[in-house]
Amino acid sequence: MPIDFSPTNNFLERHIGPNAEATATMLEVIGEPTLDAFIDGVVPPSIRTKKPLHLGQPASEHALLREVAALASKNILHRSLIGMGYYNTVTPTVILRNILENPGWYTAYTPYQAEISQGRLEALLNYQTLVIDLTGLPIANASLLDEGTAAAEAMAMFFAAKGKPEHGAFFVSDECFPQTTEVVRTRAKPLGIEVIVGDWRNFEFTERVVGALIQYPAGGGAIHDYRQFCSRAHALGSLVAAAADLLSLTLLTPPGEFGADCAVGSTQRFGVPLGYGGPHAAYFATGEEHKRHMPGRIIGVSIDAHGNRALRMTLQTREQHIRREKATSNICTAQVLLAVMAGMYAVYHGPDGLRKIAERIHNLTKVLARGIEHLGHHVAHKDFFDTLHVVPKAGSAEAIRAAATKRKINMRQFPDGTIGVSLDERSSPEEVDLLLHVFAGGNNPGINVPAIAAKEVAGYAGAMKRQSDYLRHPVFNSYHSETEMVRYMHTLESRDLALNTSMIPLGSCTMKLNATTEMIPLTFPGFTEMHPFAPADQAEGYHVMFEDLSNWLNEITGFKAVSLQPNAGAQGEYTGLLVIHAYHESRGQEQRRVCLIPSSAHGTNPASAVMAGMEVVIVRCDDRGNIDVGDLREKATQHAERLGALMVTYPSTHGVFEESISELCQIVHTHGGLVYMDGANMNAQVGLCKPAEIGADVCHINLHKTFCIPHGGGGPGMGPIAVAEHLAAFLPGHPVVNTGGKQSIGPVSSAPWGSANILVISWAYIRLMGGSGLTHATKMAILNANYMAKRLEGHYPILYKGRSGRVAHEFIVDLRGLKDTSGIEAEDVAKRLMDYGFHAPTVSFPVAGTLMIEPTESEPKEELDRLCDALISIREEIREIETGKADRQNNVLKNAPHTAEAVVSDAWAAPYSREKAAFPTRWTSAHKFWPAVGRVNNAYGDRNVVCSCPPIEAYEDAPPKG
């Protein structure tokens, strides 16, 4: 027998759950001879791609880490003092290790099941409290994507609040960051909103101006008093949003106190690395009167079935999944993991620690300003926080730039030749001394830092000095030693169910393995410490990665060009529709604004279409859940002169490969429209079929689903779009960095490449799997779903199946009939699954009263069987109700989930045993995940909206430590 030198570390075997023996058993159960024969019966032959994916040979895990380290080393780390909303920070290592690098935090799902998400919900409540306290506004959400899009959301909220969806104007100060201004322009154009950019000092409001945006401190560093500006706006009915540096608000008068109606910004400098632009959590705070129009998720305080305090996402009826085409926002993915980090940074440092960090930065900036003036240069603003706008003395600018380059320092270069320099948490007296040498043209400045500092008064003493207190809540004053902090974070982690506990079988969400090897490069300094506006020649490693990833995504989708800028799946939808409309507009067909959307579509689809300025026309589905071809043809014909696009998810939202997909695309093309394919279900396409070959013109790709970026409890995500050649010219650009097409729609995110730091995860996944591995993963995702559907179909109806009686990579379990026979609803089954140690599947989407299950390729057969066994056991519990053995109201499902406190209570009065409640199976006896609270009272939480930590008075009986 010859010697075998093949690699022993095969990543494919680590990523795919079922081994060869388990695969054979599952095929036998569903009655198929081979995996390929099975796939041939599921995926319509007419759309199968003829060519295998050409993505190179897969790398081993140890080889991959060497490759990615080499990529990171190509990024040259100069000290970036560019500012513009991005600053170096110090991530406390206790947070780095226990949050960012911890699968208990980064593999959790969006907290729709509140009872098993209490830890993350508390962390987000801390984050909201941080934002509320520092901005001086009473309500905040649980994060948005970035500062620019948050500013655009403020504009949209103002228009919704005023009942003026179009034909109004929005003022933007010319001192706002350029990327923020341009993102606002992009969002305003399809809505018919005029954006007026100008000097806030002399701008004259009219009744047509719905709102305004100001920067605080201003983009050039100046601290302005905006009180009179806000008064002038309010006098004519306009609303004001302030894009404010959150760290500066520990020293400065908060926006809520000088008259702003809304505050937005980034929490990046609260311990979150630069990452070449992201991911970073944007904050959004406003007044109570705007809570119904506020975008994003809000965490609120409610009670559970036992009357105990419980947290949940509140006011969910305002979200796009419910409001659909009536929504004013399409927020789907937030930045939860980064918001948790920022909130924990505040918990760890506390109010005194945050103030000291801000004062140290400000004191260093004051010393630098005095030194620069001593050298004969002019500092444009006398009142500043951390940023100086320097007008070099005559003839010195070139020498300053050369000296900065020699000392590997990046500063902001204004178009007029002036210079911006922003200090941050990593700045030091030694750095200030180095900068003085730079501003001396590389020569000895003749003055040193101690000499300047001796003449300065410590702290901020300007006109906008903050007088109000903040962060008095015990959580921000209790955990300042590492011992306390580790225990606090572990306590919260233990209240959340993540993938390190059990599978999370959410249909349409692809909660697959986020491999450690894919995650490790996230914290390589070459990736984390790069400023998004650093010169391109310093970011070669990033750009090699961008080019590789773009080429691979083109190969996978069959398209010709990719934009990596969209920062979430729903933002990808929005971007794709803007690109489609820009194409029509370039051909003199601006009127093509009708968007056909199936009734089964994701809630973000119609919301994104409305945001893109399109008119939504709903297309019916037939009794089998497929798009009604006749109805689509009729509506395409009816709107032929105005037809802009069809939005379609493939495989369908109902979990099947629709046979008519190519025909649907052809009908739309025949009538002048283009096809947007929602890539949420790409996990069932990769390697088997390609959107471009099916007939689509553009699709977005959820990298946080199909390509392994973890959900992080509700974000980060990335939603790049891939487009056909005729759309490439319209891809989003950026005002600071050259990217995008020649006829760019403008930026849709603050950073040129969105959340660039996490792109390395998807790059690593594709590199580890190769083309054949990705294709095999798709086949296994489909097999796992069909195996589960086969096991469950004798116990529950499976709602939709394809032509061969098979499903795609997900399937819908129909529970609607149980309400009549037992009084049990889908929510009851979802809550009971928690007692079995599982997160529920997707509840009541896309069909009310159902569960949508997606196992992914990463779950082993044993875990699939465990979930099937749980659901079958629950069906028997329901049968006890149907036969009268169990009470219709007081039963194990209606009372689920059962907490440890309830089970051990002396007051136990349930008509079933404690063992049945808490330990229904062998595995729950061996290892039990306890829900932190009983069933949460949603109605109470919506009637009593509290979205910050309880006031200090609530803790009078239990004073904080320290």
Side-chain angles (χ1 to χ4, degrees), residues 168-379:
F170 188 73
F171 172 76
V172 178
S173 168
D174 57 11
E175 294 187 83
C176 287
F177 295 135
Q179 69 272 18
T180 301
T181 300
E182 293 309 311
V183 169
V184 168
R185 283 192 203 272
T186 302
R187 282 285 292 273
K189 182 182 175 183
L191 299 177
I193 298 171
E194 179 188 1
V195 174
I196 304 169
V197 179
D199 187 340
W200 64 273
R201 298 171 186 81
N202 52 34
F203 178 71
E204 294 185 8
F205 285 91
T206 66
E207 291 183 357
R208 186 168 167 271
V209 180
V210 173
L213 177 69
I214 51 178
Q215 193 87 43
Y216 181 69
I223 295 173
H224 300 304
D225 184 345
Y226 290 113
R227 291 183 180 92
Q228 289 300 316
F229 177 81
C230 292
S231 296
R232 286 193 284 118
H234 294 156
L236 284 168
S238 294
L239 301 170
V240 177
D245 181 299
L246 201 65
L247 184 61
S248 76
L249 299 185
T250 62
L251 306 180
L252 305 182
T253 300
E257 292 181 16
F258 66 62
D261 304 281
C262 178
V264 301
S266 173
T267 59
Q268 177 266 315
R269 65 193 312 174
F270 279 62
V272 180
L274 285 167
Y276 207 36
H280 308 139
Y283 74 82
F284 191 106
T286 190
E288 289 276 356
E289 67 273 21
H290 299 305
K291 65 187 177 187
R292 295 284 173 182
H293 295 112
M294 190 177 188
R297 303 183 182 112
I298 304 172
I299 308 308
V301 180
S302 187
I303 58 174
D304 73 357
H306 311 293
N308 298 317
R309 177 178 178 269
L311 306 177
R312 63 182 281 272
M313 294 196 297
T314 193
L315 297 177
Q316 291 187 58
T317 53
R318 8 173 305 286
E319 293 192 26
Q320 75 289 333
H321 290 92
I322 295 171
R323 291 182 57 79
R324 300 175 73 82
E325 65 269 20
K326 294 181 175 65
T328 56
S329 172
N330 71 337
I331 298 299
C332 185
T333 305
Q335 299 284 22
V336 169
L337 186 66
L338 298 314
V340 168
M341 287 181 66
M344 288 298 181
Y345 179 93
V347 168
Y348 192 47
H349 288 293
D352 293 339
L354 293 180
R355 187 181 297 108
K356 288 176 182 176
I357 291 168
E359 285 181 341
R360 183 175 182 275
I361 295 170
H362 177 64
N363 289 335
L364 288 169
T365 309
K366 284 201 296 186
V367 170
L368 177 61
R370 301 301 170 260
I372 287 173
E373 290 174 334
H374 173 81
L375 293 170
H377 309 297
H378 175 61
V379 176

Side-chain angles (χ1 to χ4, degrees), residues 311-480:
L311 306 177
R312 63 182 281 272
M313 294 196 297
T314 193
L315 297 177
Q316 291 187 58
T317 53
R318 8 173 305 286
E319 293 192 26
Q320 75 289 333
H321 290 92
I322 295 171
R323 291 182 57 79
R324 300 175 73 82
E325 65 269 20
K326 294 181 175 65
T328 56
S329 172
N330 71 337
I331 298 299
C332 185
T333 305
Q335 299 284 22
V336 169
L337 186 66
L338 298 314
V340 168
M341 287 181 66
M344 288 298 181
Y345 179 93
V347 168
Y348 192 47
H349 288 293
D352 293 339
L354 293 180
R355 187 181 297 108
K356 288 176 182 176
I357 291 168
E359 285 181 341
R360 183 175 182 275
I361 295 170
H362 177 64
N363 289 335
L364 288 169
T365 309
K366 284 201 296 186
V367 170
L368 177 61
R370 301 301 170 260
I372 287 173
E373 290 174 334
H374 173 81
L375 293 170
H377 309 297
H378 175 61
V379 176
H381 309 294
K382 301 306 178 186
D383 197 354
F384 50 77
F385 167 56
D386 65 351
T387 296
L388 303 177
H389 187 173
V390 182
V391 181
K393 63 184 178 183
S396 67
E398 191 56 45
I400 293 171
R401 280 190 284 270
T405 300
K406 183 178 180 180
R407 287 160 177 78
K408 297 183 178 181
I409 295 173
N410 297 323
M411 296 185 292
R412 183 178 180 184
Q413 305 295 322
F414 287 92
D416 62 0
T418 56
I419 297 170
V421 57
S422 297
L423 301 190
D424 55 42
E425 190 180 2
R426 294 196 180 184
S427 295
S428 65
E430 291 76 19
E431 181 171 85
V432 172
D433 188 67
L434 185 64
L435 285 167
L436 291 178
H437 280 77
V438 166
F439 279 96
N443 301 313
N444 189 323
I447 190 170
N448 59 41
V449 171
I452 303 172
K455 299 178 181 179
E456 292 295 322
V457 177
Y460 177 75
M464 298 300 287
K465 184 175 182 177
R466 182 171 189 141
Q467 303 299 325
S468 56
D469 206 352
Y470 51 87
L471 302 185
R472 295 176 60 228
H473 314 89
V475 72
F476 298 105
N477 296 277
S478 300
Y479 307 110
H480 302 327

Side-chain angles (χ1 to χ4, degrees), residues 766-789:
I766 296 172
R767 186 71 188 89
L768 287 165
M769 294 289 279
S772 60
L774 290 176
T775 304
H776 185 65
T778 306
K779 294 176 181 178
M780 291 303 299
I782 297 172
L783 175 62
N784 280 0
N786 278 274
Y787 171 70
M788 289 190 70

Side-chain angles (χ1 to χ4, degrees), residues 374-629:
H374 173 81
L375 293 170
H377 309 297
H378 175 61
V379 176
H381 309 294
K382 301 306 178 186
D383 197 354
F384 50 77
F385 167 56
D386 65 351
T387 296
L388 303 177
H389 187 173
V390 182
V391 181
K393 63 184 178 183
S396 67
E398 191 56 45
I400 293 171
R401 280 190 284 270
T405 300
K406 183 178 180 180
R407 287 160 177 78
K408 297 183 178 181
I409 295 173
N410 297 323
M411 296 185 292
R412 183 178 180 184
Q413 305 295 322
F414 287 92
D416 62 0
T418 56
I419 297 170
V421 57
S422 297
L423 301 190
D424 55 42
E425 190 180 2
R426 294 196 180 184
S427 295
S428 65
E430 291 76 19
E431 181 171 85
V432 172
D433 188 67
L434 185 64
L435 285 167
L436 291 178
H437 280 77
V438 166
F439 279 96
N443 301 313
N444 189 323
I447 190 170
N448 59 41
V449 171
I452 303 172
K455 299 178 181 179
E456 292 295 322
V457 177
Y460 177 75
M464 298 300 287
K465 184 175 182 177
R466 182 171 189 141
Q467 303 299 325
S468 56
D469 206 352
Y470 51 87
L471 302 185
R472 295 176 60 228
H473 314 89
V475 72
F476 298 105
N477 296 277
S478 300
Y479 307 110
H480 302 327
S481 77
E482 183 158 338
T483 301
E484 293 170 310
M485 190 67 180
V486 166
R487 289 172 183 163
Y488 178 61
M489 290 187 290
H490 178 70
T491 298
L492 296 194
E493 180 192 346
S494 69
R495 296 174 184 165
D496 271 23
L497 190 150
L499 278 177
N500 62 346
T501 302
S502 65
M503 74 184 292
I504 301 178
L506 285 141
S508 193
C509 290
T510 323
M511 295 294 295
K512 66 167 72 177
L513 172 71
N514 311 121
T516 306
T517 298
E518 297 159 6
M519 300 296 292
I520 283 176
L522 277 185
T523 54
F524 287 2
F527 293 127
T528 62
E529 296 184 12
M530 181 66 63
H531 193 287
F533 304 149
D537 59 4
Q538 295 174 19
E540 181 185 351
Y542 261 118
H543 288 275
V544 170
M545 183 178 71
F546 296 158
E547 184 175 4
D548 284 346
L549 190 55
S550 296
N551 290 336
W552 296 341
L553 293 177
N554 279 328
E555 171 67 12
I556 288 165
T557 61
F559 287 119
K560 296 298 184 183
V562 165
S563 170
L564 298 173
Q565 191 178 118
N567 226 347
Q571 196 176 77
E573 296 170 10
Y574 170 69
T575 306
L577 292 176
L578 288 185
V579 165
I580 284 175
H581 186 69
Y583 168 80
H584 289 316
E585 199 172 32
S586 74
R587 293 160 57 86
Q589 297 184 327
E590 196 276 340
Q591 83 282 359
R592 290 193 174 275
R593 290 184 176 270
V594 169
C595 186
L596 304 179
I597 301 179
S599 59
S600 62
H602 293 111
T604 53
N605 283 184
S608 294
V610 169
M611 281 175 54
M614 305 193 89
E615 176 188 335
V616 174
V617 173
I618 301 298
V619 178
R620 292 195 303 266
C621 289
D622 62 24
D623 293 340
R624 296 176 59 86
N626 299 315
I627 297 172
D628 186 322
V629 177

Side-chain angles (χ1 to χ4, degrees), residues 28 45 51 69 121 124 134 159-160 274 348 389 434 449 465 510 654 704 775 824 828 853 876 913:
E28 184 179 350
K51 299 177 181 178
L121 288 166
L124 291 174
L134 291 185
F159 273 76
L274 285 167
Y348 192 47
H389 187 173
L434 185 64
V449 171
K465 184 175 182 177
T510 323
H654 288 148
H704 51 289
T775 304
I824 294 301
D828 300 318
I853 299 174
E876 291 305 311
S913 70

